[in-house]
Amino acid sequence: MRGIQILLFLLVFQAWATGQSDSPHGFDQPYRPQYHFSPPQHWTNDPNGLLYFEGEYHLFFQYNPFGDEWGHMSWGHAVSPDLLHWQPLPVALPEQNGVMIFTGSTVDDVANTSGFCTGGKPCMVAIYTGHTPESGSHPALQTQNLAYSNDRGRTWTKYGGNPVLDLHMPDFRDPKVFWFEPSRHWVMAVSLPNEHKVAFYGSANLKRWSRLSGFGPAGATGGQWECPELFELPVDGSRGGNRWVLKVGLNPGALQGGSGEQYFIGRFDGKQFTSDNPASTTLWTDYGKDCYCALTFNGLPKNQPPVMMGWMDNWQYAAALPTSPWRGQMTIPRMLSLRTTPDGIRLFQEPIDSLKQLRGAHVHAANRTIQQVNGEFQRSPVVKSHTYELISSFSLGTAQETGWRLLSTNGSVTIVGYDRRRGTVFIDRRHSGLTGFSKDFPARMQAPLKTPDNVLRLHILVDRCSVEVFAQDGRIAMTSLVFPPPGTHGLEAYARGGNAGSSSATLWELR
Ligand code: FRU
């Protein structure tokens, strides 16, 4: 009798749990990221409208509610208490009357400057690009528009006075809006993709905008400029004053081919951005192929450093990724800082601190040879994981090349290494598993990296189909998708052309 009761309970519980699932498909398909955001089903590209509002992190994202290819662009929506566990919500801003909802941002209108907020409380306002595709009778049109929510982003109303900014142009998009306290006005950075320019506009109420200035062309201009982002950061933990970072997406023409992003460091006075470097300087935010249209969160508490998150993909092959029933995912949220290096001030990126909450079983080896590290790792069950965090520090010794072979099995491997002769850190995914779905996917991506102390420090995140590398405390970020054969988890440190010196490494399974 008791056995039947337990069985009944289990059946009822299973039915309940299935009903709770966010998609009819669950989250355990091959390649399904476990601690990176991906929509339960269908297509996503850029993150949009990142905002911390009343205790919740909001992630909106370019979304096709009807399929796993780009189209019917709308804003999907998810919320999280910690930037790691995401609860999917219904589509926030759907395509309507033939106008797609392209990339944009959201703000917390604390003082009700827009007049949209009710009940004496702040409200959320979205500023997005409305995209009307070209048709027989008219050319394409991109304009800037508003929508607002008075219930913590659960329901949205498009503003009746849209568009709020219309230059009658087919390419004019991706507004990033934030409050600039010193002049007490809203600032919009918005892209003129074909001119390779970011235009800045100012507004007191989000509804009427006037042009402040423009920046560009500068740096890399081999493709359209998209997804501008502007934020302020202390230099060297505020010992070196503050600087502004203007980040711009480039598609195609990025360093590793296809889409990628560059940044400029300079000053912003509320009207105009002035770069510290000559227009010929090009700085890349991420040296992998798979980080695009990254955005920072608006509304973070004052004491929190900016957090940025990107689309983990590349327009060269986004439509061909071998995943189902979803296509597209986000990078790990990254904490940003500016630090002085021998080359000048540079952007550093590290995974958010709260990732530590996900750490489960671990194995640690300190001051060993590479062979001893491998020996200790192989004795631990943690090495069987394909969802993990790995932190290592290798003294280069006499080795010409050293690093990790990841997600390996007979015949396939992803290599993360340091090539001493070239002075580059690299991810080689040419033999990582499934690569043939696009001629642009197999790649060896590399970044210049100096190691004056002859120590290579790597922080690596693996999540089934992705490898994110943060080298030398975040000086270099590299993001790469990989599609290894199912169940692949081989992991070992290696050195070539000599011996590495004292090596330490810790591997955590991430839950
Ligand atoms: C960048 C982008 C944006 C645009 C959106 C459309 O990936 O092309 O410029 O707003 O995607 O989905």
Side-chain angles (χ1 to χ4, degrees), residues 123-205:
C123 61
M124 290 169 69
V125 182
I127 307 93
Y128 63 90
T129 298
H131 170 80
T132 311
E134 165 187 6
S135 82
S137 53
H138 57 80
L141 177 67
Q142 297 187 344
T143 60
Q144 315 321 321
N145 301 267
L146 305 179
Y148 54 91
S149 168
N150 273 292
D151 57 0
R152 300 165 66 235
R154 272 36 180 201
T155 58
W156 289 84
T157 308
K158 289 176 186 147
Y159 172 46
N162 282 337
V164 292
L165 193 50
D166 182 0
L167 304 184
H168 309 287
M169 290 181 81
D171 287 286
F172 174 48
R173 60 179 177 268
D174 307 339
K176 165 69 200 222
V177 175
F178 63 93
W179 178 253
F180 187 77
E181 182 57 28
S183 354
R184 300 197 57 76
H185 69 176
W186 298 102
V187 171
M188 178 195 294
V190 58
S191 184
L192 294 163
N194 302 317
E195 290 75 14
H196 313 298
K197 275 194 169 133
V198 177
F200 297 101
Y201 288 83
S203 173
N205 57 12

Coordinates of all heavy atoms in Angstrom, one line a residue, residues 123-205:
C123 N 9.1 53.8 -13.3 CA 8.6 52.8 -14.3 C 9.8 52.5 -15.3 O 10.8 53.2 -15.3 CB 7.4 53.3 -15.1 SG 7.6 54.8 -16.1
M124 N 9.6 51.4 -16.0 CA 10.6 51.0 -17.0 C 10.2 51.6 -18.4 O 9.1 51.5 -18.8 CB 10.7 49.5 -17.1 CG 11.3 48.8 -15.9 SD 11.0 47.0 -15.9 CE 12.1 46.5 -17.2
V125 N 11.2 52.2 -19.0 CA 11.0 52.7 -20.4 C 12.0 52.0 -21.3 O 13.2 52.0 -21.0 CB 11.1 54.2 -20.5 CG1 10.8 54.7 -21.9 CG2 10.2 54.9 -19.5
A126 N 11.5 51.5 -22.4 CA 12.3 50.9 -23.5 C 12.5 51.9 -24.6 O 11.5 52.5 -25.0 CB 11.7 49.6 -23.9
I127 N 13.7 52.0 -25.1 CA 14.0 52.8 -26.3 C 14.6 51.8 -27.3 O 15.6 51.2 -27.1 CB 15.0 53.9 -26.0 CG1 14.6 54.7 -24.8 CG2 15.2 54.8 -27.2 CD1 15.1 54.3 -23.5
Y128 N 13.8 51.6 -28.4 CA 14.2 50.5 -29.4 C 14.1 51.1 -30.8 O 13.5 52.1 -31.1 CB 13.3 49.3 -29.2 CG 11.9 49.6 -29.6 CD1 11.4 49.4 -30.9 CD2 11.0 50.0 -28.6 CE1 10.0 49.7 -31.2 CE2 9.7 50.3 -28.9 CZ 9.2 50.1 -30.2 OH 7.9 50.4 -30.5
T129 N 14.8 50.4 -31.7 CA 14.7 50.7 -33.1 C 13.5 50.0 -33.7 O 13.4 48.8 -33.6 CB 16.0 50.3 -33.9 OG1 17.1 51.1 -33.3 CG2 15.8 50.6 -35.4
G130 N 12.6 50.7 -34.4 CA 11.5 50.1 -35.2 C 12.1 50.0 -36.6 O 12.5 50.9 -37.2
H131 N 12.0 48.7 -37.1 CA 12.5 48.4 -38.4 C 11.4 48.1 -39.3 O 10.7 47.0 -39.2 CB 13.5 47.3 -38.3 CG 14.0 46.8 -39.7 ND1 14.9 47.4 -40.4 CD2 13.6 45.7 -40.4 CE1 15.1 46.8 -41.6 NE2 14.3 45.7 -41.6
T132 N 11.1 48.9 -40.4 CA 10.1 48.6 -41.4 C 10.9 48.1 -42.6 O 11.6 48.9 -43.2 CB 9.3 49.8 -41.7 OG1 8.8 50.4 -40.5 CG2 8.1 49.4 -42.6
P133 N 10.8 46.8 -43.0 CA 11.5 46.3 -44.1 C 11.1 47.0 -45.4 O 10.0 47.5 -45.5 CB 11.2 44.8 -44.2 CG 10.5 44.5 -42.9 CD 10.0 45.8 -42.3
E134 N 12.0 47.0 -46.3 CA 11.8 47.6 -47.7 C 10.6 46.8 -48.3 O 10.5 45.6 -48.1 CB 13.1 47.4 -48.5 CG 12.9 47.6 -49.9 CD 14.2 47.2 -50.7 OE1 15.2 46.8 -50.0 OE2 14.2 47.5 -51.9
S135 N 9.7 47.5 -49.0 CA 8.7 46.8 -49.8 C 8.7 47.5 -51.2 O 9.3 48.5 -51.4 CB 7.4 46.9 -49.1 OG 6.8 48.1 -49.4
G136 N 7.9 46.9 -52.1 CA 7.8 47.5 -53.4 C 7.6 49.0 -53.4 O 8.2 49.7 -54.2
S137 N 6.8 49.5 -52.5 CA 6.4 50.9 -52.5 C 7.3 51.8 -51.7 O 7.4 53.0 -52.0 CB 5.0 51.0 -52.0 OG 4.9 50.4 -50.7
H138 N 8.1 51.3 -50.8 CA 8.9 52.2 -50.0 C 10.2 51.5 -49.6 O 10.3 50.3 -49.4 CB 8.2 52.7 -48.7 CG 7.7 51.6 -47.9 ND1 8.5 50.9 -47.0 CD2 6.4 51.0 -47.8 CE1 7.7 50.0 -46.3 NE2 6.5 50.0 -46.8
P139 N 11.3 52.3 -49.4 CA 12.6 51.7 -48.9 C 12.5 51.4 -47.4 O 11.5 51.7 -46.8 CB 13.6 52.9 -49.1 CG 12.8 54.1 -49.1 CD 11.4 53.7 -49.6
A140 N 13.5 50.6 -46.9 CA 13.5 50.3 -45.5 C 13.6 51.5 -44.7 O 14.1 52.6 -45.1 CB 14.6 49.4 -45.2
L141 N 13.0 51.5 -43.4 CA 13.1 52.6 -42.5 C 13.4 52.2 -41.1 O 12.9 51.2 -40.6 CB 11.7 53.3 -42.5 CG 11.6 54.5 -41.6 CD1 12.5 55.7 -42.0 CD2 10.1 55.0 -41.5
Q142 N 14.4 52.9 -40.5 CA 14.7 52.6 -39.1 C 14.5 53.9 -38.3 O 15.1 54.9 -38.6 CB 16.1 52.0 -39.0 CG 16.2 50.7 -39.7 CD 17.5 49.9 -39.5 OE1 18.5 50.5 -39.1 NE2 17.5 48.6 -39.8
T143 N 13.7 53.8 -37.2 CA 13.5 54.9 -36.4 C 13.6 54.5 -34.9 O 13.6 53.3 -34.6 CB 12.0 55.5 -36.6 OG1 11.1 54.4 -36.2 CG2 11.8 55.9 -38.0
Q144 N 13.7 55.5 -34.0 CA 13.8 55.2 -32.6 C 12.4 55.4 -31.9 O 11.8 56.4 -32.2 CB 14.9 56.0 -31.9 CG 16.2 56.1 -32.7 CD 16.6 54.8 -33.4 OE1 16.5 53.7 -32.8 NE2 17.2 54.9 -34.6
N145 N 12.1 54.5 -31.0 CA 10.7 54.4 -30.5 C 10.8 54.1 -29.0 O 11.7 53.6 -28.5 CB 10.0 53.3 -31.2 CG 9.9 53.5 -32.7 OD1 8.9 54.1 -33.1 ND2 10.9 53.1 -33.4
L146 N 9.6 54.4 -28.3 CA 9.5 54.1 -26.9 C 8.4 53.1 -26.6 O 7.4 53.1 -27.3 CB 9.2 55.4 -26.1 CG 10.1 56.6 -26.3 CD1 9.5 57.8 -25.5 CD2 11.5 56.3 -25.9
A147 N 8.6 52.4 -25.5 CA 7.5 51.6 -24.9 C 7.7 51.7 -23.4 O 8.8 52.0 -22.9 CB 7.5 50.2 -25.4
Y148 N 6.7 51.5 -22.6 CA 6.8 51.6 -21.1 C 6.1 50.5 -20.4 O 5.1 49.9 -20.9 CB 6.5 53.0 -20.6 CG 5.1 53.4 -21.0 CD1 4.0 53.2 -20.2 CD2 4.8 54.1 -22.2 CE1 2.7 53.5 -20.6 CE2 3.6 54.4 -22.6 CZ 2.5 54.2 -21.8 OH 1.2 54.5 -22.2
S149 N 6.5 50.3 -19.2 CA 5.9 49.3 -18.3 C 5.7 49.8 -16.9 O 6.7 50.3 -16.3 CB 6.7 48.0 -18.3 OG 6.2 47.1 -17.3
N150 N 4.5 49.6 -16.3 CA 4.3 50.0 -14.9 C 4.2 48.8 -14.0 O 3.7 48.9 -12.9 CB 3.1 50.9 -14.8 CG 3.5 52.4 -15.1 OD1 4.2 53.0 -14.2 ND2 3.1 52.9 -16.2
D151 N 4.5 47.6 -14.5 CA 4.4 46.4 -13.7 C 5.6 45.6 -13.8 O 5.6 44.4 -14.0 CB 3.1 45.6 -14.0 CG 3.1 45.2 -15.5 OD1 4.1 45.5 -16.3 OD2 2.1 44.5 -15.9
R152 N 6.8 46.2 -13.5 CA 8.1 45.5 -13.5 C 8.3 44.7 -14.7 O 8.8 43.6 -14.7 CB 8.2 44.7 -12.2 CG 8.0 45.5 -10.9 CD 7.8 44.7 -9.7 NE 8.9 43.8 -9.4 CZ 8.9 42.5 -9.2 NH1 7.7 41.9 -9.4 NH2 9.9 41.8 -8.9
G153 N 8.0 45.3 -15.9 CA 8.3 44.7 -17.1 C 7.4 43.6 -17.6 O 7.7 43.0 -18.6
R154 N 6.3 43.3 -16.8 CA 5.5 42.2 -17.2 C 4.6 42.5 -18.4 O 4.3 41.6 -19.3 CB 4.6 41.7 -16.0 CG 5.3 40.7 -15.1 CD 6.7 40.8 -14.9 NE 7.4 39.9 -14.0 CZ 8.5 40.1 -13.4 NH1 9.2 41.2 -13.6 NH2 9.0 39.1 -12.7
T155 N 4.1 43.7 -18.5 CA 3.3 44.1 -19.7 C 3.8 45.5 -20.2 O 4.3 46.3 -19.4 CB 1.8 44.2 -19.4 OG1 1.6 45.2 -18.3 CG2 1.2 42.9 -19.0
W156 N 3.7 45.7 -21.5 CA 4.3 46.9 -22.1 C 3.3 47.6 -23.0 O 2.5 46.9 -23.6 CB 5.5 46.4 -23.0 CG 6.7 46.0 -22.1 CD1 6.9 44.8 -21.6 CD2 7.8 46.9 -21.7 NE1 8.0 44.8 -20.8 CE2 8.6 46.1 -20.9 CE3 8.1 48.2 -21.9 CZ2 9.8 46.6 -20.3 CZ3 9.3 48.7 -21.3 CH2 10.1 47.9 -20.5
T157 N 3.4 48.9 -23.1 CA 2.6 49.7 -24.0 C 3.5 50.5 -24.9 O 4.4 51.2 -24.4 CB 1.8 50.7 -23.1 OG1 1.1 50.0 -22.1 CG2 0.8 51.5 -24.0
K158 N 3.3 50.4 -26.2 CA 4.1 51.2 -27.1 C 3.5 52.7 -27.1 O 2.3 52.9 -27.0 CB 4.1 50.6 -28.5 CG 4.9 49.3 -28.6 CD 4.8 48.7 -30.0 CE 5.4 47.3 -29.9 NZ 4.8 46.3 -30.8
Y159 N 4.4 53.6 -27.0 CA 4.1 55.0 -27.0 C 3.3 55.5 -28.2 O 3.7 55.2 -29.3 CB 5.4 55.8 -26.8 CG 5.2 57.3 -26.8 CD1 4.2 58.0 -26.1 CD2 6.2 58.1 -27.6 CE1 4.2 59.4 -26.2 CE2 6.1 59.5 -27.6 CZ 5.1 60.1 -26.9 OH 5.0 61.5 -27.0
G160 N 2.2 56.2 -28.0 CA 1.3 56.6 -29.1 C 2.0 57.6 -30.0 O 1.7 57.8 -31.2
G161 N 3.0 58.3 -29.5 CA 3.7 59.4 -30.2 C 5.0 58.9 -31.0 O 5.8 59.7 -31.5
N162 N 5.1 57.5 -31.1 CA 6.3 57.0 -31.9 C 6.2 57.4 -33.3 O 5.1 57.5 -33.9 CB 6.3 55.5 -31.7 CG 6.8 55.0 -30.4 OD1 7.5 55.7 -29.7 ND2 6.5 53.8 -30.0
P163 N 7.3 57.5 -34.0 CA 8.7 57.4 -33.5 C 9.1 58.7 -32.8 O 8.5 59.8 -33.1 CB 9.5 57.2 -34.8 CG 8.7 57.9 -35.9 CD 7.3 57.7 -35.5
V164 N 10.1 58.6 -31.9 CA 10.6 59.8 -31.3 C 11.8 60.4 -32.0 O 12.2 61.5 -31.7 CB 10.9 59.6 -29.8 CG1 9.6 59.3 -29.0 CG2 11.9 58.5 -29.6
L165 N 12.4 59.6 -32.9 CA 13.5 60.1 -33.6 C 13.5 59.4 -35.0 O 13.6 58.2 -35.1 CB 14.8 59.7 -32.9 CG 16.1 60.4 -33.3 CD1 16.0 61.9 -33.4 CD2 17.2 60.0 -32.2
D166 N 13.4 60.2 -36.0 CA 13.3 59.7 -37.4 C 14.1 60.5 -38.3 O 13.8 61.7 -38.5 CB 11.8 59.7 -37.8 CG 11.6 59.2 -39.2 OD1 12.6 58.7 -39.8 OD2 10.4 59.1 -39.6
L167 N 15.2 60.0 -38.9 CA 16.0 60.7 -39.9 C 15.7 60.2 -41.3 O 16.4 60.5 -42.2 CB 17.5 60.4 -39.6 CG 18.1 60.7 -38.2 CD1 19.6 60.5 -38.2 CD2 17.8 62.2 -37.8
H168 N 14.6 59.5 -41.4 CA 14.2 58.9 -42.7 C 15.3 58.1 -43.4 O 15.6 58.3 -44.5 CB 13.7 60.1 -43.7 CG 12.7 61.0 -43.0 ND1 11.4 60.6 -42.8 CD2 12.8 62.2 -42.5 CE1 10.8 61.5 -42.1 NE2 11.6 62.5 -42.0
M169 N 16.0 57.3 -42.5 CA 17.1 56.5 -43.0 C 16.8 55.0 -42.9 O 16.2 54.6 -42.0 CB 18.4 56.8 -42.2 CG 18.9 58.2 -42.5 SD 20.4 58.5 -41.5 CE 21.6 57.7 -42.5
P170 N 17.3 54.3 -43.9 CA 17.1 52.8 -43.8 C 18.1 52.2 -42.8 O 17.8 51.0 -42.3 CB 17.5 52.3 -45.2 CG 18.3 53.4 -45.8 CD 18.0 54.7 -45.1
D171 N 19.2 52.8 -42.4 CA 20.1 52.3 -41.4 C 20.4 53.3 -40.4 O 21.2 54.2 -40.6 CB 21.4 51.8 -42.1 CG 21.2 50.6 -42.9 OD1 21.1 49.5 -42.3 OD2 21.1 50.7 -44.2
F172 N 19.8 53.2 -39.2 CA 19.9 54.1 -38.1 C 19.4 53.4 -36.9 O 18.2 53.3 -36.7 CB 19.1 55.4 -38.4 CG 19.0 56.4 -37.3 CD1 20.2 56.8 -36.7 CD2 17.8 57.0 -37.0 CE1 20.1 57.8 -35.7 CE2 17.7 57.9 -36.0 CZ 18.8 58.3 -35.3
R173 N 20.3 52.8 -36.1 CA 19.7 51.9 -35.1 C 20.5 51.6 -33.9 O 21.6 52.1 -33.7 CB 19.5 50.5 -35.8 CG 20.7 49.8 -36.4 CD 20.3 48.5 -37.0 NE 21.5 47.8 -37.6 CZ 21.8 47.9 -38.9 NH1 21.2 48.7 -39.7 NH2 22.9 47.3 -39.3
D174 N 19.9 50.9 -33.0 CA 20.5 50.3 -31.7 C 20.8 51.4 -30.7 O 21.9 51.5 -30.2 CB 21.8 49.5 -32.1 CG 21.5 48.4 -33.1 OD1 20.4 48.0 -33.3 OD2 22.5 48.0 -33.7
P175 N 19.7 52.1 -30.3 CA 20.0 53.2 -29.3 C 20.3 52.7 -27.9 O 19.7 51.8 -27.4 CB 18.6 53.9 -29.2 CG 17.6 52.8 -29.6 CD 18.3 52.0 -30.6
K176 N 21.4 53.2 -27.3 CA 21.8 52.9 -25.9 C 21.5 54.2 -25.2 O 22.1 55.2 -25.5 CB 23.2 52.5 -25.8 CG 23.8 52.5 -24.4 CD 23.2 51.4 -23.5 CE 23.3 51.7 -22.1 NZ 23.7 50.6 -21.2
V177 N 20.6 54.1 -24.2 CA 20.2 55.3 -23.5 C 20.6 55.2 -22.0 O 20.4 54.1 -21.4 CB 18.7 55.6 -23.6 CG1 18.3 56.8 -22.8 CG2 18.4 55.9 -25.1
F178 N 21.1 56.2 -21.4 CA 21.4 56.2 -20.0 C 21.2 57.7 -19.4 O 21.2 58.6 -20.2 CB 22.8 55.7 -19.7 CG 23.9 56.5 -20.3 CD1 24.5 57.5 -19.6 CD2 24.3 56.3 -21.6 CE1 25.5 58.3 -20.1 CE2 25.3 57.1 -22.2 CZ 25.9 58.1 -21.4
W179 N 21.1 57.8 -18.1 CA 21.0 59.1 -17.5 C 22.3 59.7 -17.2 O 23.2 59.0 -16.6 CB 20.2 58.9 -16.2 CG 20.0 60.1 -15.4 CD1 20.6 60.5 -14.2 CD2 19.1 61.2 -15.7 NE1 20.1 61.7 -13.8 CE2 19.2 62.2 -14.7 CE3 18.2 61.5 -16.7 CZ2 18.5 63.4 -14.6 CZ3 17.4 62.6 -16.7 CH2 17.6 63.6 -15.7
F180 N 22.6 60.9 -17.6 CA 23.9 61.5 -17.3 C 23.7 62.6 -16.2 O 23.1 63.7 -16.5 CB 24.4 62.2 -18.6 CG 25.8 62.7 -18.5 CD1 26.9 61.9 -18.4 CD2 26.0 64.1 -18.3 CE1 28.2 62.4 -18.3 CE2 27.3 64.6 -18.1 CZ 28.4 63.8 -18.1
E181 N 24.0 62.2 -15.0 CA 23.7 63.0 -13.8 C 24.3 64.4 -13.9 O 23.5 65.4 -13.6 CB 24.1 62.2 -12.6 CG 23.8 62.9 -11.3 CD 22.3 63.2 -11.1 OE1 21.4 62.5 -11.6 OE2 22.0 64.2 -10.4
P182 N 25.6 64.6 -14.2 CA 26.1 66.0 -14.2 C 25.3 67.0 -14.9 O 25.1 68.1 -14.5 CB 27.5 65.9 -14.7 CG 27.9 64.4 -14.5 CD 26.6 63.6 -14.6
S183 N 24.7 66.7 -16.1 CA 23.9 67.6 -16.8 C 22.4 67.3 -16.7 O 21.6 68.0 -17.4 CB 24.3 67.7 -18.3 OG 25.3 67.0 -18.7
R184 N 22.1 66.3 -15.9 CA 20.7 65.9 -15.6 C 19.9 65.8 -16.9 O 18.9 66.4 -17.1 CB 20.1 66.9 -14.7 CG 20.8 67.0 -13.3 CD 20.0 67.6 -12.2 NE 18.7 66.9 -12.0 CZ 18.5 65.7 -11.4 NH1 19.6 65.0 -10.9 NH2 17.3 65.2 -11.2
H185 N 20.4 65.0 -17.8 CA 19.6 64.6 -19.0 C 19.9 63.2 -19.5 O 20.9 62.6 -19.1 CB 19.8 65.7 -20.1 CG 21.2 65.6 -20.8 ND1 21.5 66.4 -21.9 CD2 22.3 64.9 -20.5 CE1 22.7 66.2 -22.2 NE2 23.2 65.3 -21.4
W186 N 19.0 62.7 -20.3 CA 19.2 61.4 -20.9 C 20.2 61.5 -22.1 O 20.1 62.5 -22.8 CB 17.9 60.8 -21.4 CG 16.9 60.6 -20.3 CD1 15.8 61.4 -20.1 CD2 16.9 59.5 -19.4 NE1 15.1 60.9 -19.0 CE2 15.7 59.7 -18.6 CE3 17.7 58.4 -19.2 CZ2 15.4 58.8 -17.5 CZ3 17.3 57.5 -18.1 CH2 16.2 57.7 -17.3
V187 N 21.1 60.5 -22.3 CA 22.0 60.5 -23.4 C 21.7 59.3 -24.3 O 21.5 58.2 -23.7 CB 23.4 60.5 -23.0 CG1 24.4 60.3 -24.2 CG2 23.8 61.8 -22.3
M188 N 21.6 59.4 -25.6 CA 21.4 58.3 -26.5 C 22.7 58.2 -27.4 O 23.0 59.2 -28.0 CB 20.2 58.5 -27.3 CG 20.0 57.3 -28.3 SD 18.8 57.7 -29.7 CE 17.3 57.9 -28.8
A189 N 23.3 57.0 -27.4 CA 24.3 56.7 -28.4 C 23.6 55.8 -29.4 O 23.1 54.8 -29.0 CB 25.5 56.0 -27.7
V190 N 23.6 56.2 -30.7 CA 22.9 55.4 -31.7 C 23.7 55.3 -32.9 O 24.5 56.3 -33.2 CB 21.5 56.0 -31.9 CG1 21.6 57.5 -32.3 CG2 20.6 55.3 -32.9
S191 N 23.6 54.2 -33.7 CA 24.5 54.0 -34.8 C 24.1 54.4 -36.1 O 22.9 54.3 -36.5 CB 24.8 52.5 -34.8 OG 25.8 52.2 -35.8
L192 N 25.0 55.0 -36.9 CA 24.8 55.3 -38.3 C 25.7 54.3 -39.0 O 26.9 54.5 -39.3 CB 25.2 56.7 -38.7 CG 24.3 57.8 -38.0 CD1 24.9 59.1 -38.0 CD2 22.9 57.8 -38.7
P193 N 25.2 53.1 -39.2 CA 26.1 51.9 -39.6 C 26.9 52.1 -40.8 O 28.1 51.7 -40.8 CB 25.1 50.8 -39.8 CG 23.9 51.2 -39.0 CD 23.8 52.7 -39.1
N194 N 26.4 52.7 -41.9 CA 27.2 52.8 -43.1 C 28.1 54.0 -43.1 O 29.1 54.0 -43.9 CB 26.2 52.9 -44.3 CG 25.3 51.7 -44.3 OD1 25.8 50.6 -44.1 ND2 24.0 51.9 -44.6
E195 N 27.9 55.0 -42.2 CA 28.8 56.1 -42.1 C 29.9 55.8 -41.1 O 30.8 56.6 -40.9 CB 28.1 57.3 -41.6 CG 27.1 58.0 -42.6 CD 25.8 57.2 -42.8 OE1 25.5 56.3 -42.0 OE2 25.1 57.4 -43.8
H196 N 29.8 54.6 -40.4 CA 30.8 54.2 -39.4 C 30.9 55.4 -38.3 O 31.9 55.9 -38.0 CB 32.2 54.0 -39.9 CG 32.1 53.1 -41.1 ND1 31.7 51.8 -41.1 CD2 32.5 53.3 -42.4 CE1 31.7 51.3 -42.3 NE2 32.2 52.2 -43.1
K197 N 29.7 55.7 -37.8 CA 29.6 56.8 -36.9 C 28.6 56.4 -35.8 O 27.6 55.7 -36.0 CB 28.9 58.1 -37.6 CG 29.9 58.9 -38.3 CD 29.3 60.3 -38.6 CE 30.4 61.1 -39.0 NZ 30.5 61.9 -40.1
V198 N 28.9 56.9 -34.6 CA 27.9 56.9 -33.5 C 27.5 58.3 -33.3 O 28.3 59.2 -33.2 CB 28.6 56.4 -32.2 CG1 27.6 56.4 -31.0 CG2 29.1 55.0 -32.4
A199 N 26.1 58.5 -33.3 CA 25.6 59.8 -33.1 C 25.1 59.9 -31.6 O 24.6 58.9 -31.1 CB 24.4 60.1 -34.0
F200 N 25.3 61.1 -31.0 CA 24.8 61.2 -29.6 C 23.7 62.2 -29.6 O 23.8 63.3 -30.2 CB 25.9 61.7 -28.7 CG 27.1 60.8 -28.6 CD1 28.2 60.9 -29.4 CD2 26.9 59.6 -27.8 CE1 29.3 60.0 -29.3 CE2 28.0 58.7 -27.7 CZ 29.1 58.9 -28.5
Y201 N 22.6 61.9 -28.9 CA 21.4 62.8 -28.7 C 21.2 63.0 -27.2 O 21.5 62.1 -26.4 CB 20.2 62.1 -29.4 CG 20.2 62.2 -30.9 CD1 20.9 61.2 -31.6 CD2 19.6 63.2 -31.6 CE1 21.0 61.2 -33.0 CE2 19.6 63.2 -33.0 CZ 20.3 62.2 -33.7 OH 20.4 62.2 -35.1
G202 N 20.5 64.1 -26.9 CA 20.2 64.4 -25.5 C 18.7 64.6 -25.4 O 18.1 65.1 -26.3
S203 N 18.2 64.3 -24.2 CA 16.7 64.6 -24.0 C 16.5 64.8 -22.5 O 17.1 64.1 -21.6 CB 15.9 63.4 -24.5 OG 14.6 63.5 -24.2
A204 N 15.4 65.6 -22.2 CA 15.0 65.7 -20.8 C 13.9 64.8 -20.4 O 13.7 64.5 -19.3 CB 14.5 67.2 -20.6
N205 N 13.2 64.2 -21.4 CA 12.0 63.5 -21.1 C 11.9 62.2 -22.0 O 10.8 61.6 -22.0 CB 10.8 64.3 -21.4 CG 10.7 64.9 -22.8 OD1 11.5 64.4 -23.7 ND2 9.9 65.8 -23.1

